[in-house]
Amino acid sequence: MKKLFLIISLAFCLFAFAGCGGAKSYTGEYGYENYGVKYGVKVQVQVKGDKITGVEILQSDYTAATPEDIWDGKPTWDEGLSALLKSFEGKTVEEIRAINVAVKDDGEPYTTDDGVQVNYGGLVITGATMGSGRLLLAVQNALSNM
């Protein structure tokens, strides 16, 4: 009877602690209002150890560009989003936290810094710079909840 109790106790401990080293989820959002229009994004970030394992958009107020706004040969937000989300994977929490996203007084991310196109550490879709900035700020806000 003691052996059975010991085996059951050990099995319980193994199952109870099996998930302790798994990925954890953090939610963050970023938004602002500009000329009466609200812009925002809410994300869920998966982190294992100090590495990001995934980013998912839970809610977004992104407005897709019209055909006349699309730059020839450049991916649109919809075309580039999957690759942008994937590019967060494998980066450390500190790498993402260290990226500076300058914002205007109303909270809108800058698209240029002294006339030079910003790249947010390479985490940007050209032609959707403000949307990329909002996404990065939401991810940084999620990571601040760790």
Side-chain angles (χ1 to χ4, degrees), residues 26 32 44 46 49 114 122 128 144:
Y26 302 94
Y32 59 92
Q44 183 173 40
Q46 301 288 326
D114 292 330
S144 72

Side-chain angles (χ1 to χ4, degrees), residues 9-27:
S9 296
L10 286 173
F12 176 77
C13 287
L14 286 174
F15 286 116
F17 295 107
C20 288
K24 294 184 179 183
S25 294
Y26 302 94
T27 303

Side-chain angles (χ1 to χ4, degrees), residues 51 55 78 87 98 103 109:
K51 301 254 185 199
V55 174
D78 292 334
S87 65
V103 296

Side-chain angles (χ1 to χ4, degrees), residues 28-45:
E29 51 191 308
Y30 185 79
Y32 59 92
E33 187 172 330
N34 186 357
Y35 296 105
V37 179
K38 292 183 180 183
Y39 299 92
V41 64
K42 183 176 184 178
V43 297
Q44 183 173 40
V45 181

Side-chain angles (χ1 to χ4, degrees), residues 83-141:
L84 177 59
L85 294 173
K86 188 98 174 128
S87 65
F88 281 92
E89 295 176 14
K91 296 206 180 304
T92 66
V93 170
E94 287 310 311
E95 282 179 282
I96 298 303
R97 285 180 174 164
I99 298 171
N100 180 34
V101 180
V103 296
K104 298 177 183 176
D105 290 340
D106 63 3
E108 176 185 326
Y110 278 103
T111 57
T112 61
D113 186 10
D114 292 330
V116 177
Q117 185 76 27
V118 296
N119 75 359
Y120 302 133
L123 299 168
V124 66
I125 299 172
T126 303
T129 313
M130 287 183 280
S132 301
R134 287 191 296 272
L135 176 65
L136 179 53
L137 287 163
V139 169
Q140 288 176 331
N141 286 341

